[in-house]
Amino acid sequence: MRLRHYPYTLELAHAFTIATSSRTTTPAVLVELEHDGITGYGEAAMPPYLGESQESAARFLNLFDAAAVTDPFKLEEILPRIDALAPGNTAAKAALDIALHDWIGKKLGVPWHRIWGLDPAKTPVTSFTIGLDTAEVVRQKTREAAPYKIIKVKLGRDTDRMMIEAIRSVTATPITVDANQGWTDRNEALKKIEWLATQGVLFIEQPMPKAQLDDTAWLRERSPLPLIADESCQRLADVARLRGVFDGINIKLMKCTGLREAHRMITLARALGLKVMLGCMTETSCAISAAAQLSPLVDWADLDGAVLIKNDCFDGATIVDGRITLSNQPGIGAVKRPG
């Protein structure tokens, strides 16, 4: 097997602002694994808070001895070895995981949702994300989100009420809220959630800092809306300890090292009675299409990462009438655009 990787900078259509940061680009590394005349594609998308960079991803990928892989089907041997190469580097690990899954699906001639036995008609609607901004820009972005059935809004600063009121001045579309750990006082958080429950909000994602699990559990007991873990839930080992603290978890390939672990996290969450959300970073249609293969298994999806960028270099899963639509392309369902 031959490995190729190269940096790629994702250019956002709008500045993306959350409670802790703002950016207009996202660094990424694109991966190709070639074997028997077939190329599998993967992607590491790395917003700054992940702690990874194009340079760190390249260093990690260079640790992987692709030439030693003689049978790419042996995922249960290959992927644990990749995970053990170095701590962290979850996005870089996800890029290799995605590329291996893509190669296997292409070799078999079928998409992964079929390999998992999933019904593509059961994909959920996906939300459209609106970052923190001025009321005027929020209203503009809300109008752009008209085809979507759910709007996801970033909160966590002192503009929370303005953000919601700006959206509600334009649309009655249901909203999900991501506070990105922005609320640090549980009593204030409860007051915010009680008000949000009157504004057509479906659930709250990561209301409090990930270190404040006791406060979050207190909040969950009193909250009129479900609480979903994001920063508190990175990998499989995190899932069980979040039972009783959150009502559900948000799984992202870039956090959990890819499709293999994401599938296991969904299975465990279901066994524990937790709801499941499938999320993303700003990503090309490579990583988005990979995550979309799992989407028939989840309650909610936030897979709008590719529509938030201006320079997508792949075609893949699409959003039709607000719903994720899977193609019959083999592998992860993504095709690299020429050029």
Side-chain angles (χ1 to χ4, degrees):
M1 178 165 272
R2 295 176 57 197
L3 168 65
R4 295 183 292 272
H5 59 86
Y6 49 94
Y8 192 74
T9 299
L10 308 179
E11 300 171 3
L12 279 64
H14 298 284
F16 190 70
T17 303
I18 61 175
T20 55
S21 63
S22 181
R23 66 182 190 276
T24 57
T25 61
T26 300
V29 171
L30 302 181
V31 164
E32 298 176 358
L33 286 174
E34 184 181 351
H35 184 67
D36 286 349
I38 296 171
T39 299
Y41 294 107
E43 175 183 358
M46 298 165 289
Y49 64 84
L50 277 186
E52 295 182 66
S53 65
Q54 291 170 331
E55 295 74 23
S56 69
R59 286 194 299 271
F60 178 84
L61 293 168
N62 288 334
L63 297 175
F64 175 53
D65 184 6
V69 177
T70 57
D71 184 357
F73 282 90
K74 294 181 178 179
L75 290 181
E76 293 302 318
E77 295 180 11
I78 300 167
L79 292 174
R81 287 205 305 268
I82 290 172
D83 198 11
L85 288 174
N89 294 281
T90 57
K93 292 171 181 178
L96 292 172
D97 169 284
I98 292 167
L100 283 163
H101 279 84
D102 193 34
W103 188 93
I104 290 170
K106 287 175 176 174
K107 183 70 172 178
L108 295 174
V110 291
W112 267 91
H113 67 266
R114 289 196 61 195
I115 295 172
W116 281 317
L118 305 180
D119 183 354
K122 293 183 178 179
T123 57
V125 297
T126 184
S127 54
F128 181 89
T129 303
I130 296 177
L132 292 161
D133 221 311
T134 64
E136 180 181 356
V137 174
V138 169
R139 285 191 287 269
Q140 174 194 339
K141 291 179 179 179
T142 302
R143 293 185 185 100
E144 293 175 7
Y148 293 82
K149 308 300 183 185
I150 299 175
I151 292 172
K152 176 176 176 175
V153 58
K154 298 287 188 175
L155 299 184
R157 292 188 180 175
D158 57 5
T159 56
D160 289 351
R161 184 176 287 263
M162 177 277 290
M163 291 285 297
I164 298 297
E165 290 176 345
I167 292 171
R168 281 289 168 254
S169 72
V170 176
T171 183
T173 299
I175 294 172
T176 69
V177 162
D178 185 359
N180 282 118
Q181 309 181 81
W183 302 334
T184 57
D185 181 274
R186 66 188 192 183
N187 290 294
E188 288 301 314
L190 181 58
K191 291 178 184 177
K192 287 178 181 284
I193 294 172
E194 288 172 341
W195 178 74
L196 290 167
T198 70
Q199 300 299 309
V201 171
L202 302 177
F203 61 78
I204 310 294
E205 196 177 336
Q206 198 67 45
M208 306 194 73
K210 61 183 180 181
Q212 295 181 219
L213 287 184
D214 289 344
D215 285 333
T216 304
W218 178 94
L219 185 62
R220 176 181 176 265
E221 289 178 357
R222 295 159 178 81
S223 173
L225 296 175
L227 306 184
I228 308 300
D230 184 3
E231 286 87 351
S232 293
C233 185
Q234 304 288 320
R235 301 198 56 178
L236 180 65
D238 297 321
V239 177
R241 69 186 179 89
L242 298 178
R243 185 184 190 185
V245 180
F246 291 91
D247 299 285
I249 60 171
N250 185 1
I251 299 171
K252 298 178 181 177
L253 301 190
M254 298 301 135
K255 294 191 302 181
C256 74
T257 74
L259 288 163
R260 172 179 174 268
E261 188 152 323
H263 191 271
R264 292 182 173 192
M265 290 174 75
I266 293 171
T267 301
L268 178 56
R270 292 303 191 200
L272 295 173
L274 292 166
K275 295 285 189 180
V276 179
M277 177 181 179
L278 192 59
C280 65
M281 313 300 180
T282 43
E283 302 166 357
T284 74
S285 288
C286 175
I288 294 296
S289 298
Q293 300 299 315
L294 288 163
S295 64
L297 287 172
V298 306
D299 301 290
W300 305 293
D302 178 34
L303 295 179
D304 62 345
V307 302
L308 300 178
I309 64 173
K310 298 186 291 186
N311 59 335
D312 195 354
C313 52
F314 285 86
D315 292 310
T318 56
I319 299 171
V320 178
D321 194 27
R323 185 174 298 278
I324 299 166
T325 304
L326 298 171
S327 73
N328 286 318
Q329 290 287 342
I332 60 171
V335 177
K336 192 174 183 180
R337 293 177 179 174

